[in-house]
Amino acid sequence: MEGWTLHLVEPSHFHAALLLQRLDSRIIGHILIHAGTNWNEAPFLQSLHCLETCNWDLGRLKIARSQDPIAELLRDHGRPLALLACENSLKADWALRLLLGNVPVLCDKPLWINATTGKGLSDFLRITNQDIFLDDCMTERFEPVFELQKLLLTEKLPGFEIRSGPNARVRFHLGNTHNLAKTVAGVPVGRERAFFQIERNGDPFSDVGVHLVDHYLRLMTALGISTTYLDRNPGKVESDCKTIDPQSLSLNSGTNAIPFPIKQIWQGGNGPSMSKIDTEWLPAEDQPTPENQSAIVHGECGSLAATFDIPTNSMVLDLVGLPVGERFNWIRILRENIAKFPEPWPHTKMEETRFGIRMIPPQSTRLAHSARFPKLFVQFLNRIQQNRPLSLFERQKLLLKYAITANSNRQPY
């Protein structure tokens, strides 16, 4: 079978290198890294050196410099596949050029950062009849807490009925905690100064919020709530900015400090669902706080709060604000619903808590970055090989997701 040539387009983003940990046998020959003539390769080479010390084989990498990396890539007469990880302000235009050249594109988030930068690509996704092979990596995560909430809402947990009809009131609250400095697969990951240039790269909510919007849409779908109104009224993002030293990644008030939105909250539009997504960025510390995600769904009689419990490495689902006398019956219903899940849920250990259930899934279900990216990469190759381009529904979901994260009306910084 004829294989693909993998092109890394401006791979200054560290996660582009992580995708190289496991390469599919369908990728043949050299892996070409395209870079501008003035590209500073030192940070990327330093990242590669860290990977090599972790016994990652990167011998197939080859750096190619040119004035126009996309034009150079499109001259490939074989079967090119593009991994796009460049400046956020360039992604939408470059992705569109690649798709028009029939090159499949796997792009790190976000695909576009505002309505202006994303107009060409979003219009193309909306009206074209061309087969499109496009995926934004880092959004396809296995988070059991969200899947469990979806099932519970679909199964209509007694005592937790959601109001229906014209007075429907369903409220979501999704939260994310993210560190400016961390370690991935044993390799230190920091943030370059360019990351803090919001006017060029977009604000961090566009970046991190994409993770949670997929879960948000799943919960909306589970409740049978239309999301079409979000296209017209994507909501508003409020930001709380602090000054960050781009070298130490710590809070600073010196001359080198630059404004950065440490906390951001997206408040949903005026439709039947009042929704909120909050994102918090933590500066560098000696003992960084573990990154985490959470979800709360507020119903008529109480709330479902789902979190990942760091100390016990477990999933916790709490029933909040429900009558104490009937809690035992709800916990029984939780157990029955969990039993309906496919593998690997039957192997999940469960413990009753005061407010709900603690679930300890097999460790194989929790993928680190270094394992998740190669998995997504293989899934994307399978999609191309099986000739499964984006359907109209998948395009609409992609457009809606970025309407929420990138088209929101933001307060000026």
Side-chain angles (χ1 to χ4, degrees):
M1 180 185 67
E2 183 184 0
W4 289 279
T5 301
L6 179 60
H7 297 260
L8 304 183
V9 186
E10 291 285 357
S12 55
H13 194 295
F14 179 77
H15 292 122
L18 282 178
L19 273 169
L20 304 179
Q21 184 200 27
R22 298 176 184 173
L23 288 174
D24 195 280
S25 61
R26 290 168 288 188
I27 301 299
I28 61 174
H30 288 293
I31 301 163
L32 301 178
I33 300 177
H34 292 268
T37 55
N38 297 323
W39 178 57
N40 179 15
E41 65 185 31
F44 183 67
L45 294 179
Q46 183 178 2
S47 297
L48 296 186
H49 176 71
C50 292
L51 291 172
E52 288 179 323
T53 61
C54 295
N55 299 317
W56 292 8
D57 183 10
L58 304 174
R60 294 168 60 188
L61 293 182
K62 181 179 179 181
I63 296 179
R65 293 181 177 273
S66 63
Q67 292 287 350
D68 187 346
I70 301 300
E72 192 70 23
L73 192 161
L74 292 174
R75 294 190 184 99
D76 188 329
H77 298 295
R79 299 182 67 190
L81 172 68
L83 171 60
L84 189 59
C86 60
E87 292 181 11
N88 288 342
S89 58
L90 299 174
K91 285 176 185 172
D93 180 60
W94 284 14
L96 178 58
R97 289 177 62 190
L98 291 167
L99 293 175
L100 290 173
N102 295 314
V103 175
V105 180
L106 184 63
C107 183
D108 78 312
K109 62 177 176 55
L111 281 173
W112 60 82
I113 57 177
N114 54 52
T116 301
T117 61
K119 187 178 188 308
L121 180 56
S122 60
D123 288 347
F124 176 76
L125 292 172
R126 185 176 292 106
I127 64 177
T128 185
N129 292 321
Q130 176 179 325
D131 288 346
I132 295 175
F133 293 95
L134 170 68
D135 195 11
D136 54 341
C137 61
M138 294 186 69
T139 63
E140 198 172 322
R141 303 186 62 181
F142 177 65
E143 296 289 351
V145 289
F146 293 102
E147 293 296 331
L148 182 58
Q149 283 187 317
K150 176 182 175 181
L151 178 62
L152 291 174
L153 293 172
T154 305
E155 294 292 326
K156 305 300 182 184
L157 178 66
F160 191 69
E161 288 81 4
I162 304 297
R163 297 179 184 178
S164 59
N167 296 321
R169 183 175 59 86
V170 182
R171 292 173 293 144
F172 299 90
H173 184 192
L174 306 184
N176 184 85
T177 301
H178 201 71
N179 290 310
L180 288 174
K182 59 184 177 180
T183 298
V184 178
V187 180
V189 181
R191 299 289 179 179
E192 298 180 5
R193 185 179 181 88
F195 175 79
F196 299 93
Q197 298 176 356
I198 298 172
E199 68 280 358
R200 185 173 71 180
N201 287 330
D203 64 58
F205 182 83
S206 292
D207 190 57
V208 178
V210 169
H211 276 315
L212 297 174
V213 172
D214 277 346
H215 298 308
Y216 163 72
L217 292 175
R218 284 184 177 183
L219 291 172
M220 294 283 279
T221 302
L223 292 170
I225 298 175
S226 172
T227 56
T228 55
Y229 75 93
L230 290 171
D231 260 331
R232 301 188 297 273
N233 185 8
K236 186 175 184 179
V237 173
E238 298 180 358
S239 299
D240 177 16
C241 288
K242 303 292 184 182
T243 51
I244 296 288
D245 183 333
Q247 300 300 323
S248 65
L249 301 179
S250 61
L251 294 176
N252 195 305
S253 58
T255 57
N256 292 328
I258 53 180
F260 184 79
I262 288 291
K263 294 183 179 180
Q264 294 184 291
I265 297 177
W266 172 80
Q267 185 68 52
N270 298 320
S273 172
M274 296 302 295
S275 311
K276 182 184 293 185
I277 299 177
D278 69 78
T279 299
E280 182 177 13
W281 289 81
L282 302 179
E285 299 177 352
D286 293 335
Q287 294 182 337
T289 301
E291 296 190 349
N292 203 357
Q293 291 185 347
S294 63
I296 301 176
V297 182
H298 302 284
E300 180 179 0
C301 300
S303 303
L304 287 170
T307 58
F308 178 64
D309 186 49
I310 299 293
T312 60
N313 195 34
S314 61
M315 304 291 174
V316 178
L317 184 74
D318 289 333
L319 300 167
V320 182
L322 302 178
V324 177
E326 300 182 27
R327 189 174 297 159
F328 176 81
N329 184 51
W330 282 318
I331 293 177
R332 176 186 60 79
I333 295 171
L334 287 177
R335 284 184 171 275
E336 292 175 352
N337 281 309
I338 292 174
K340 298 178 182 180
F341 272 81
E343 297 284 351
W345 282 95
H347 303 290
T348 298
K349 298 179 181 179
M350 289 183 289
E351 302 172 354
E352 292 187 12
T353 67
R354 181 181 178 185
F355 296 103
I357 285 182
R358 183 188 310 279
M359 297 159 287
I360 307 175
Q363 289 305 301
S364 60
T365 64
R366 297 200 58 80
L367 296 178
H369 284 305
S370 55
R372 185 182 307 116
F373 290 133
K375 180 180 178 181
L376 290 174
F377 185 51
V378 171
Q379 290 176 349
F380 191 56
L381 289 179
N382 291 342
R383 188 181 187 96
I384 300 170
Q385 186 177 357
Q386 297 165 9
N387 194 29
R388 292 188 291 111
L390 289 180
S391 66
L392 179 60
F393 172 77
E394 289 168 325
R395 293 187 200 179
Q396 291 174 339
K397 179 181 177 183
L398 197 64
L399 291 166
L400 175 58
K401 183 164 61 176
Y402 284 98
I404 295 175
T405 58
N407 289 2
S408 299
N409 298 317
R410 291 175 168 79
Q411 289 186 342
Y413 298 124

